[in-house]
C-alpha cells in the first residue's frame, strides 16, 4: 500500500481529494529543514510545493518512488539524483493559463493608467480640492495601439498574447535558441526590447535565463516602457532594475516575484523610494479557480503513477 506524505499542505487553498487506490495519507504544514527527511522516511509518494529535496535528502529516503510537485517549477528538486534513483517526478501544467495572464494585465493596467497614484491623490484629498470636475495629475495611456513584447511562448505567454490582442495591442514574441514553439512568428530580442511599450516575462528559471534582463537590456527599452514579471524573480537583475526606475530609464515595472522568497533579508526592490513600481507577493498563480485546478491535476498525477502510466513527468 502506498504511503503518501503531503508537505506544505497549507500552501494550497483548495479541496484535495484522496486518491482512488489503497493508501495511507499524512499531511503537514511547512517544515524546518531538519524535519523534512524524518517526515518523508516512510513515504512512497511525496507531495511537495517549494520544499527543497536535494541529493543528500533523496539518498536517505529509500522507499520514495514518486515526487508529485504541486507546482510547475521543479528547481527545488534534484532531478539528476531522482533519475539516478529511478524516482519519478511529476509537475502541474497549464493550470494558471487564466490567473497569471489576468494578473499580468492587472499590473499593466494599473501602471499604464496610474491607478495607484490616483488612488493616493484621492486619499490625500486632492480631488476634493480640485477646481475642475476631474483631477488629471498623472499621465494615462491606452493599451490599444501599443506594443507588447513577450519573452516565452509557452501556454502563459500565448494566453497573455491573446488578451493583448483583445485590447488591440501589437504582439511581438522574442526570438531565442531552440527549442521553439511551432506556429509563432519570432522577432529578434533586441528589437522586442526597443519597440515594446510593455515587456512581459514568461520563462522558467534556468542558468540561461538568470539575470537575462540587466542594465544593458533595460537601457535598450523605451523611456516610458513597462517591465512585467509574473514568472521567476531571477530573470531580472534587481539592482539594475531599481536603478533604472529611479533614473527614469524605463517608465515602470510590475513584479509578482523576487529572486529570494520570502524576502526576509531584504531586497533592492523593497525600497520605499522606487517610483512606478508595483510588487505583489507571488500570488499571480493563486486564484481560487486555479488552485482547485492545480489540486485536481495533482491527484490525477498521483493516480496515473499508481496505475503504472505516469503523466506530466519531468524526470
Amino acid at each position: 500500500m502506498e504511503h503518501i506524505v503531503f508537505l506544505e499542505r497549507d500552501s494550497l487553498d483548495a479541496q484535495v481529494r484522496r486518491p482512488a487506490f489503497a493508501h495511507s495519507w499524512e499531511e503537514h504544514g511547512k517544515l524546518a529543514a531538519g524535519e523534512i527527511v524524518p517526515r518523508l522516511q516512510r513515504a512512497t509518494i511525496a507531495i511537495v510545493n517549494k520544499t527543497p529535496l536535494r541529493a543528500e535528502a533523496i539518498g536517505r529516503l529509500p522507499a520514495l518512488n514518486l515526487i508529485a510537485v504541486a507546482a510547475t517549477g521543479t528547481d527545488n528538486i534534484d532531478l539528476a539524483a531522482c533519475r539516478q534513483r529511478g524516482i519519478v517526478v511529476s509537475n502541474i501544467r497549464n493550470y494558471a493559463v487564466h490567473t497569471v495572464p489576468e494578473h499580468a494585465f492587472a499590473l499593466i493596467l494599473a501602471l499604464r493608467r496610474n491607478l495607484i497614484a490616483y488612488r493616493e491623490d484621492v486619499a490625500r484629498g486632492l480631488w476634493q480640492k480640485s477646481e475642475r470636475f476631474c483631477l488629471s495629475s498623472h499621465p494615462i495611456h491606452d493599451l490599444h495601439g501599443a506594443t507588447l513584447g513577450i519573452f516565452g511562448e509557452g501556454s502563459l505567454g500565448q494566453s497573455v498574447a491573446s488578451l493583448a490582442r483583445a485590447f488591440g495591442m501589437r504582439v511581438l514574441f522574442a526570438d531565442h535558441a531552440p527549442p521553439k514553439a511551432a506556429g509563432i512568428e519570432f522577432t529578434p530580442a533586441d528589437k522586442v526590447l526597443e519597440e515594446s511599450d510593455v515587456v512581459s516575462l514568461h520563462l522558467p528559471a534556468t542558468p540561461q535565463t538568470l539575470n537575462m534582463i540587466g542594465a544593458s537590456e533595460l537601457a535598450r527599452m523605451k523611456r516610458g516602457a513597462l517591465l512585467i514579471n509574473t514568472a521567476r524573480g531571477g530573470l531580472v537583475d534587481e539592482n539594475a532594475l531599481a536603478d533604472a526606475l529611479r533614473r527614469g530609464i524605463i517608465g515602470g515595472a510590475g513584479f509578482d516575484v523576487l529572486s529570494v522568497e520570502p524576502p526576509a533579508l531584504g531586497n533592492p526592490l523593497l525600497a520605499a523610494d522606487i517610483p512606478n513600481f508595483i510588487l505583489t507577493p507571488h500570488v499571480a498563480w493563486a486564484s481560487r479557480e486555479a488552485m482547485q485546478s492545480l489540486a485536481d491535476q495533482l491527484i490525477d498525477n498521483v493516480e496515473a503513477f499508481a496505475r503504472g502510466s505516469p503523466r506530466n513527468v519531468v524526470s
Side-chain angles (χ1 to χ4, degrees), residues 151-186:
F151 284 75
E153 75 281 7
S155 59
L156 294 179
Q158 293 197 43
S159 292
V160 167
S162 294
L163 290 179
R165 294 185 183 110
F167 275 106
M169 300 183 79
R170 170 191 180 217
V171 176
L172 302 176
F173 279 100
D175 201 3
H176 58 87
K180 303 179 184 181
I184 300 291
E185 181 180 344
F186 290 97

Side-chain angles (χ1 to χ4, degrees), residues 108-114 139-143 146 197-198 226:
I108 292 167
L109 286 164
L111 289 162
R112 288 279 288 183
R113 306 193 73 82
N114 261 309
I140 295 172
H141 296 284
D142 293 336
L143 294 183
D197 300 291
V198 181
L226 305 179

